[in-house]
Amino acid sequence: MPFKIIASQCTSCSACEPLCPNVAISEKGGNFVIEAAKCSECVGHFDEPQCAAACPVDNTCVVDRALPRYQAPV
Ligand code: SF4
Ligand code: SF4
């Protein structure tokens, strides 16, 4: 159920990191990343994904559609 951070757009402002209820966001080598296995899309905690809501750069915290859950059945 994961979100991801588009690294090329992230300014490393760190606004998202403390907001994640699952502590899924961390800084690695100067870039902020979301650990997919920990991301619940904030379901059960908030009405909207907190990282996406807080991020000042549009379309930088986004659903990772490359992961199997989002791929169309074959
Ligand atoms: S959507 Fe919610 S749970 Fe997932 S990384 Fe963002 S703040 Fe954390
Ligand atoms: S809030 Fe957005 S720009 Fe700031 S560190 Fe998180 S993903 Fe990057």
Side-chain angles (χ1 to χ4, degrees), residues 29-67:
N31 296 316
F32 282 80
V33 295
I34 292 172
E35 190 175 335
K38 289 185 177 177
C39 175
S40 64
E41 298 180 8
C42 287
V43 171
H45 293 279
F46 300 99
D47 290 338
E48 60 182 346
Q50 296 296 286
C51 54
C55 183
V57 188
D58 286 346
N59 301 315
T60 296
C61 292
V62 297
V63 168
D64 189 351
R65 296 185 188 281
L67 286 166

Side-chain angles (χ1 to χ4, degrees), residues 5 10-16 32 55-56 60-61:
I5 292 170
C10 173
T11 62
S12 298
C13 74
S14 81
C16 56
F32 282 80
C55 183
T60 296
C61 292

